């Protein structure tokens, strides 16, 4: 049995729906289909989820609700018209959206979640209706019916362990089951969304719940490239990578698969296959528990911006018991998670996402560090990017780090920090955001251009 997830670009219009139907119908093992909301039809287009967020904004700010609602309905109506589905489907979508607005008008968080979730929810109904029109037995299954029970944090749902027991029962259902991605239902009965891009997470949860043999994730690229294809021409394509490699790359900017989507499948060792809806014959990239580590020691290079670093210095810090705990407790008090903590004997840096330091948090944190930890110096360094060199093979290869530092220095990139965890699956470089692309390009050429390919 396969669980198949289709992203927003795969369901952006009626023509894309037809490709999706062909893919699903061509393989009887594709029994459960998880869908995103209709995505962009062109570079300038707006995703349905973003239209729904605009609608939620208009409602909360007392703005022009009816225009915003009209734009959402138009997206669905285009699909219904192109596929010649029943026009009542649109009347019903309108009724349900108006219902949600009435119910949650005074509860901003719930309103946003309920409206955001409607993109996938209504799209799943259209997909099921289209499959039935083609003569297939297909059922829309709501996350509530499927048993996708989640925590009650708006916009940041986490699956609850008991969900998996419920999900297993889907195995016994007949026909093609179409489940909306991106949200679940809390024990209190609220609609709660996963973080943006979270339909990948639903697909993974469902695949783990039903114990699928394969989780196919259809998107709009033929494979995952070793580097952002806008930075390097004809980059290397990855045929197979491990969960750990994908986790590192997804964390640091590879948006092709959500970084929170691996956890459910990892436990059950269900392989994930990234495929292209527009070219389903292409082999794609398989994400697996283990692979034979031959060939390249480095599989991918990624970078992400929007980081800053709290740098502090204190003489004899290495001998002070509890220093690190106290520092991290200060961050915890502000509900900030940290990303990396490179340190020396008398200094420590905590790298965090810059957006955390808003609303007076920066001042409060620096004040507490000065007054409670008695440091000699503390300051915030901004506009950092992290660049990750990823590959399981690095642990066994000699000279991978020196190749990286040589490449970066030849390109004139100033390395601000270096960090490598004990797993040796990745190496992290902190650089100025303005030099991030140059860093990635120079590293890519060092590891992947034919004259210097590392073994
Ligand atoms: N539609 C949601 C988003 O745009 C979720 C998804 O596509 O996975 O973030």
């Amino acid at each position: 049995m396969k669980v198949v997830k289709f992203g927003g670009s795969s369901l952006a219009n009626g023509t894309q729906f037809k490709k999706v139907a062909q893919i699903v119908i061509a393989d009887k093992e594709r029994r459960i289909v998880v869908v995103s909301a209709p995505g962009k039809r062109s570079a300038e287009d707006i995703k349905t989820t973003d239209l729904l967020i605009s609608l939620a904004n208009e409602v909360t700010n007392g703005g022009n609700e009816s225009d915003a609602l009209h734009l959402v309905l138009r997206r669905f109506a285009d699909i219904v018209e192109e596929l010649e589905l029943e026009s009542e489907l649109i009347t019903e979508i309108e009724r349900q959206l108006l219902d949600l607005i009435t119910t949650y008008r005074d509860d901003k968080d719930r309103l946003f979640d309920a409206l955001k979730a409607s993109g996938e929810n209504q799209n799943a109904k259209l997909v099921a209706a289209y499959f039935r029109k083609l003569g297939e037995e297909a059922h829309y299954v709501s996350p509530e019916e499927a048993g996708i029970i989640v925590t009650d944090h708006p916009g940041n749902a986490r699956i609850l362990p008991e969900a998996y027991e419920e999900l297993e029962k889907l195995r016994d259902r007949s026909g093609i089951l179409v489940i909306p991605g991106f949200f679940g239902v809390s024990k209190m009965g609220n609609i709660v969304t996963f973080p943006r891009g979270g339909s990948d997470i639903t697909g993974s949860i469902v695949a783990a719940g039903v114990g699928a043999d394969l989780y196919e994730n259809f998107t709009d690229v033929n494979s995952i490239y070793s580097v952002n294809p806008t930075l390097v021409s004809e980059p290397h394509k990855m045929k197979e990578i491990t969960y750990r490699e994908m986790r590192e790359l997804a964390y640091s900017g590879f948006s092709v698969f959500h970084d929170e989507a691996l956890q459910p499948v990892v436990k059950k060792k269900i392989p994930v296959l990234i495929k292209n809806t527009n070219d389903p014959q292409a082999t794609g990239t398989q994400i697996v528990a283990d692979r034979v580590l031959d060939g390249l020691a480095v599989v991918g290079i990624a970078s992400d911006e929007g980081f800053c670093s709290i740098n502090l210095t204190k003489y004899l810090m290495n001998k002070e018991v509890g220093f690190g705990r106290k520092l991290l407790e200060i961050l915890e008090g502000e509900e900030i998670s940290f990303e990396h903590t490179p340190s020396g004997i008398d200094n420590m840096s905590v790298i965090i996402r810059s957006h955390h330091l808003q609303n007076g948090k920066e001042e409060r944190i620096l004040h507490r560090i000065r007054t409670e930890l008695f440091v000699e110096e503390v300051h915030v360094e901004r506009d950092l990017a992290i660049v990750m060199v990823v590959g399981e093979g690095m642990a066994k290869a000699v000279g991978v780090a020196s190749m990286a530092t040589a490449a970066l220095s030849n390109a004139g990139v100033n390395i601000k920090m270096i960090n490598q965890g004990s797993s040796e699956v990745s190496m992290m470089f902190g650089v100025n955001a303005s030099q991030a692309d140059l860093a990635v390009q120079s590293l890519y050429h060092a590891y992947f251009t034919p004259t210097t390919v590392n073994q």
Side-chain angles (χ1 to χ4, degrees):
M1 178 198 238
K2 295 175 186 170
V3 169
V4 202
K5 180 254 169 182
F6 291 93
S9 60
S10 302
L11 291 158
N13 57 26
T15 311
Q16 292 299 91
F17 266 59
K18 289 178 189 168
K19 293 181 193 169
V20 165
Q22 267 182 14
I23 291 169
V24 174
I25 294 166
D27 184 344
K28 289 281 163 251
E29 290 184 3
R30 293 182 174 135
R31 297 224 343 250
I32 301 186
V33 179
V34 173
V35 301
S36 280
K40 291 183 179 192
R41 292 159 294 189
S42 64
E44 311 75 50
D45 200 12
I46 304 173
K47 284 177 157 197
T48 310
T49 308
D50 292 313
L51 292 177
L52 286 157
I53 291 173
S54 302
L55 172 60
N57 274 320
E58 296 301 326
V59 174
T60 33
N61 302 334
N64 191 342
E65 272 174 46
S66 75
D67 278 7
L69 176 63
H70 177 76
L71 286 176
V72 173
L73 292 173
R74 194 63 252 155
R75 282 305 310 263
F76 289 118
D78 283 347
I79 294 169
V80 165
E81 284 159 21
E82 193 181 341
L83 298 175
E84 296 176 7
L85 298 173
E86 313 263 315
S87 61
E88 284 80 65
L89 285 164
I90 296 301
T91 325
E92 188 51 24
I93 294 177
E94 180 171 14
R95 194 189 61 73
Q96 290 185 15
L97 290 174
L98 288 172
D99 252 16
L100 292 175
I101 293 172
T102 313
T103 312
Y104 297 114
R105 184 174 288 284
D106 299 320
D107 189 343
K108 189 174 172 198
D109 285 346
R110 299 292 172 202
L111 176 78
F112 269 77
D113 260 18
L115 287 181
K116 277 193 304 189
S118 301
E120 345 300 282
N121 199 29
Q122 303 300 345
N123 212 27
K125 291 178 194 168
L126 298 192
V127 171
Y130 181 55
F131 285 175
R132 283 195 294 270
K133 185 178 154 78
L134 296 177
E136 297 295 323
E137 182 192 345
H139 310 276
Y140 156 81
V141 181
S142 72
E144 187 172 13
E145 193 188 341
I148 304 178
I149 315 159
V150 295
T151 56
D152 205 36
H153 302 115
N156 200 16
R158 296 261 180 274
I159 193 75
L160 291 173
E162 53 262 47
Y164 290 105
E165 224 167 280
E166 280 303 306
L167 282 161
E168 205 183 341
K169 298 180 189 154
L170 293 176
R171 287 190 74 94
D172 304 328
R173 305 255 320 239
S174 67
I176 302 168
L177 308 181
V178 186
I179 304 177
F182 193 34
F183 70 100
V185 177
S186 72
K187 283 186 177 164
M188 295 159 81
N190 291 316
I191 296 167
V192 195
T193 61
F194 294 113
R196 288 299 304 267
S199 297
D200 285 345
I201 305 175
T202 305
S204 183
I205 289 167
V206 173
V210 300
D213 300 301
L214 182 66
Y215 170 26
E216 288 179 312
N217 193 292
F218 278 83
T219 170
D220 51 10
V221 287
N222 273 355
S223 66
I224 307 181
Y225 297 105
S226 291
V227 68
N228 178 348
T230 64
L231 295 180
V232 169
S233 68
E234 292 186 40
H236 179 262
K237 289 178 181 153
M238 304 195 260
K239 282 205 182 73
E240 197 178 55
I241 54 170
T242 66
Y243 295 133
R244 294 200 308 166
E245 288 167 337
M246 187 65 229
R247 155 85 181 114
E248 301 276 341
L249 291 167
Y251 162 77
S252 42
F254 274 37
S255 58
V256 70
F257 194 61
H258 200 290
D259 70 340
E260 288 182 32
L262 281 167
Q263 203 181 14
V265 281
V266 165
K267 278 196 196 143
K268 295 215 165 172
K269 296 198 174 174
I270 297 168
V272 182
L273 183 56
I274 307 288
K275 293 202 43 108
N276 190 353
T277 300
N278 305 315
D279 186 4
Q281 300 312 325
T283 29
T285 301
Q286 176 123 310
I287 311 169
V288 290
D290 296 301
R291 65 180 178 90
V292 182
L293 296 181
D294 55 1
L296 305 178
V298 171
V299 296
I301 295 154
S303 76
D304 199 12
E305 295 179 9
F307 293 89
C308 65
S309 168
I310 304 174
N311 300 335
L312 40 95
T313 311
K314 185 174 187 188
Y315 188 58
L316 294 181
M317 187 189 85
N318 63 318
K319 295 203 169 157
E320 188 174 326
V321 176
F323 183 89
R325 177 183 54 76
K326 287 180 209 148
L327 172 61
L328 295 178
E329 243 172 33
I330 294 176
L331 293 180
E332 188 182 353
E334 295 288 349
E335 296 201 26
I336 295 177
S337 58
F338 71 92
E339 309 288 323
H340 306 268
T341 51
S343 65
I345 46 173
D346 292 337
N347 56 71
M348 190 160 168
S349 296
V350 187
I351 300 179
I352 60 175
R353 303 251 176 203
S354 311
H355 65 82
H356 287 309
L357 286 188
Q358 286 163 357
N359 306 329
K361 287 190 178 183
E362 178 172 345
E363 293 72 30
R364 286 199 295 276
I365 289 169
L366 293 184
H367 178 74
R368 283 192 64 187
I369 291 176
R370 283 194 192 101
T371 54
E372 294 172 30
L373 300 182
F374 307 106
V375 295
E376 271 117 42
E377 220 269 310
V378 56
H379 69 273
V380 175
E381 188 169 356
R382 293 176 195 289
D383 298 324
L384 285 181
I386 58 166
V387 177
M388 304 282 268
V389 175
V390 176
E392 299 255 11
M394 287 188 335
K396 294 212 177 76
V398 176
V400 182
S402 68
M403 274 173 89
T405 47
L408 292 171
S409 97
N410 287 342
V413 174
N414 179 9
I415 304 172
K416 306 224 152 209
M417 272 154 218
I418 302 183
N419 203 12
Q420 183 172 41
S422 54
S423 70
E424 282 193 63
V425 70
S426 72
M427 228 174 348
M428 186 282 279
F429 297 94
V431 301
N432 259 330
S434 59
Q435 290 199 302
D437 289 353
L438 180 62
V440 170
Q441 284 158 335
S442 61
L443 289 168
Y444 178 80
H445 291 304
Y447 292 116
F448 289 91
T449 46
T451 48
T452 51
V453 162
N454 61 310
Q455 293 296 320

